[in-house]
Amino acid sequence: MSTDTPDASADDTPSRAELAARVDELEDALAEATSEDDAKKMSIIATKGTLDMAYPPLILASTAAAFGYEVTVFHTFWGLEILHEERSKNLKLSSVGNPNMPVPNAVAALPGMDRVTTKMMEKKIDDNDTATIEELIETSLDMGVEFQACQMTIDLMDYDEDDFYDGVTTGVGAATALQDMAEADIQLLV
Amino acid sequence: MSADYDITETLDVKGASCPMPVVKTKSAIDDLAEGEILEVLATDAGSMSDIEGWASGTAGVELVDQQEGDDVYTHYVRKTE
């Protein structure tokens, strides 16, 4: 016991040089951590492909880019329709299950009614000079927003890489989205 | 009104609605040099709050003034860095 104590304390007490080295190490780590977090980040998961639900992720993505955020939007399931160059121009709106639409559900469920409600909405968008989905995607891409197309959904829907807007990232999965979410200051599921 | 400021560029986003006034303001300000002022003409009533919020949350820009006309909202944004 009496012989152990001096040895142990000699081992446990770091020298001045060791402490200085440790401080340098921590300062470097801190500098690295703070410089990496300089740019604010936003991660959106877009899961819906109806005309009305295509807007929120695109409006938030382009606006966040204007604020200087690094933005990624991961499009999965029906959200992938938004990135599909052809299909994004024909997104539909249904009034079935939407009690705010001026059409009763029983009528809304009739064949051809989705086309009517979609036309109605498209006219409103046009009259109000609201940006189209295509405009929002092109604008967002110009501003550096990264649009990611879920590879599993591409395979599931039998789409091709060329079907998407130029600049869309393909070949990504949930792990990529999760990593983006973990690093982001804002995470949204739309 | 506009004579109060030494305006470098004017951005006309009349008719455009959210998010375009903010998004186009950002793109236009990117093309200016430090200290220059951008005048933004908008008809979107939401632009008063949106451009103010954008300017306060964005590095390198400063909202100099906002004027509410009969139909047009005018914003003056200075690039600060």
Side-chain angles (χ1 to χ4, degrees):
Chain A
M1 222 17 171
S2 61
T3 50
D4 283 354
T5 313
D7 280 357
S9 73
D11 279 351
D12 284 351
T13 311
S15 72
R16 224 180 161 73
E18 279 169 341
L19 278 173
R22 183 80 186 122
V23 167
D24 285 348
E25 209 177 283
L26 287 170
E27 277 179 348
D28 286 350
L30 183 67
E32 201 179 303
T34 47
S35 72
E36 269 181 9
D37 283 346
D38 241 14
K40 292 178 287 183
K41 291 179 182 163
M42 177 159 88
S43 164
I44 301 177
I45 312 298
T47 64
K48 304 275 202 293
T50 52
L51 181 58
D52 52 331
M53 290 307 285
Y55 274 92
L58 297 180
I59 289 175
L60 289 169
S62 53
T63 304
F67 272 77
Y69 278 74
E70 283 177 19
V71 185
T72 58
V73 192
F74 182 81
H75 292 251
T76 186
F77 277 83
W78 302 114
L80 193 56
E81 304 282 280
I82 302 169
L83 299 183
H84 194 287
E85 199 165 358
E86 207 181 305
R87 296 181 68 86
S88 70
K89 292 163 189 162
N90 295 302
L91 298 181
K92 301 280 191 292
L93 176 73
S94 177
S95 44
V96 175
N98 184 350
N100 291 317
M101 294 286 284
V103 186
N105 273 336
V107 179
L110 294 173
M113 277 307 290
D114 284 352
R115 199 153 42 89
V116 174
T117 47
T118 301
K119 282 282 165 240
M120 202 176 78
M121 194 66 195
E122 281 174 347
K123 189 177 180 310
K124 273 185 168 296
I125 287 168
D126 194 43
D127 289 349
N128 193 48
D129 270 328
T130 298
T132 63
I133 294 302
E134 189 184 3
E135 279 166 354
L136 285 170
I137 289 179
E138 298 289 4
T139 303
S140 301
L141 282 168
D142 283 350
M143 300 185 79
V145 171
E146 183 181 348
F147 289 111
Q148 301 175 334
C150 168
Q151 190 60 43
M152 181 274 283
T153 314
I154 295 176
D155 297 340
L156 186 71
M157 304 289 188
D158 216 6
Y159 290 153
D160 194 82
E161 271 184 32
D162 301 335
D163 293 338
F164 304 109
Y165 286 90
D166 286 344
V168 167
T169 306
T170 55
V172 291
T176 308
L178 200 75
Q179 197 181 4
D180 285 335
M181 285 189 272
E183 289 171 1
D185 301 279
I186 302 173
Q187 304 93 347
L188 295 171
L189 174 74
V190 181
Chain B
M1 278 210 296
S2 55
D4 296 350
Y5 308 103
D6 195 5
I7 296 152
T8 307
E9 284 288 339
T10 297
L11 173 71
D12 187 347
V13 286
K14 292 199 286 284
S17 56
C18 174
M20 286 310 181
V22 164
V23 166
K24 289 188 169 165
T25 298
K26 154 72 178 168
S27 299
I29 209 95
D30 282 349
D31 293 336
L32 294 192
E34 186 184 332
E36 292 182 334
I37 291 181
L38 177 73
E39 178 186 50
V40 183
L41 308 173
T43 47
D44 173 21
S47 68
M48 290 298 279
S49 169
D50 278 359
I51 294 203
E52 185 190 3
W54 167 77
S56 70
T58 304
V61 297
E62 175 199 6
L63 184 64
V64 180
D65 195 13
Q66 288 182 305
Q67 286 166 2
E68 194 173 335
D70 285 342
D71 297 310
V72 179
Y73 303 90
T74 312
H75 315 270
Y76 300 94
V77 184
R78 181 188 285 119
K79 187 166 181 169
T80 56
E81 60 185 61

